Amino acid sequence: MDIVIRQERQEDYRITEHVVRRAYEQAEYSDKKEHFLVQRLRKSDAFIPKLSLVALDEKKEIVGHILLTSVKIVNQNEENESLALAPVSVAPEYQSKGVGKTLIREAIQRAIALRHTSIIVLGHKDYYPKFGFKRADLWNISAPFPVPAESFMALELTEGSLQHVQGTVVYPKEFME
């Protein structure tokens, strides 16, 4: 399957939100409101347009979306910048066909090119390690809410970038609305 990844454009928003909504309709662990989260994040200071990507099928139709936004890892002494990967969305008829993997790999490469140093994700413990994610608690990085430790992960985009980072991830308020 030929999938092309490109930056999301403003004229894509309505279609992207439809894909995001459909992607989570049958998801077991979902509040079915991820498309509203995407809307809120696009309007936030945490939004990085170059890291809002869409997947296009061979007909040039949007079949997937990924969003990386700014977060901070905070402790009593310092704040460190990172990225949050959320959400990753693939239209149901394209799921399990490599679209999500392609989106994640491209988002990671673009984040590296933009000189970001790490990514945080709350996700499936068996899926994200395929991309190099490890339990965030290995670096003493914690979520701001109770989550299973094996599902809260981090990825160093440059070797050792989290070596001296620890604290709690502070998500933009739009994640909590």
Side-chain angles (χ1 to χ4, degrees), residues 2 15 29 55 58 75 91 98 109 126 144 156:
D2 286 335
I15 297 165
Y29 300 105
E58 53 279 341
N75 63 37
Q109 289 309 308
D126 296 324
E156 291 183 316

Side-chain angles (χ1 to χ4, degrees), residues 32-50:
K32 314 297 186 240
K33 296 179 182 177
E34 287 80 4
H35 57 294
F36 294 128
L37 172 62
V38 170
Q39 286 176 356
R40 291 191 306 269
L41 288 171
R42 283 194 201 109
K43 297 174 188 172
S44 76
D45 292 338
F47 183 60
I48 305 167
K50 290 182 178 181

Side-chain angles (χ1 to χ4, degrees), residues 74-129:
V74 178
N75 63 37
Q76 300 88 342
N77 302 316
E78 62 185 6
E79 289 185 0
N80 290 279
E81 296 290 326
S82 188
L83 296 170
L85 190 164
V88 179
S89 310
V90 178
E93 63 273 19
Y94 285 87
Q95 291 176 6
S96 301
K97 295 183 178 183
V99 176
K101 285 181 190 170
T102 303
L103 278 164
I104 293 168
R105 287 188 178 120
E106 183 66 21
I108 290 169
Q109 289 309 308
R110 290 184 186 213
I112 291 168
L114 292 171
R115 301 188 189 279
H116 291 279
T117 59
S118 64
I119 301 174
I120 303 294
V121 69
L122 173 59
H124 197 282
K125 66 180 179 67
D126 296 324
Y127 184 69
Y128 288 96

Side-chain angles (χ1 to χ4, degrees), residues 67-79:
L67 187 59
L68 295 173
T69 52
S70 296
V71 294
K72 295 185 184 320
I73 303 168
V74 178
N75 63 37
Q76 300 88 342
N77 302 316
E78 62 185 6
E79 289 185 0

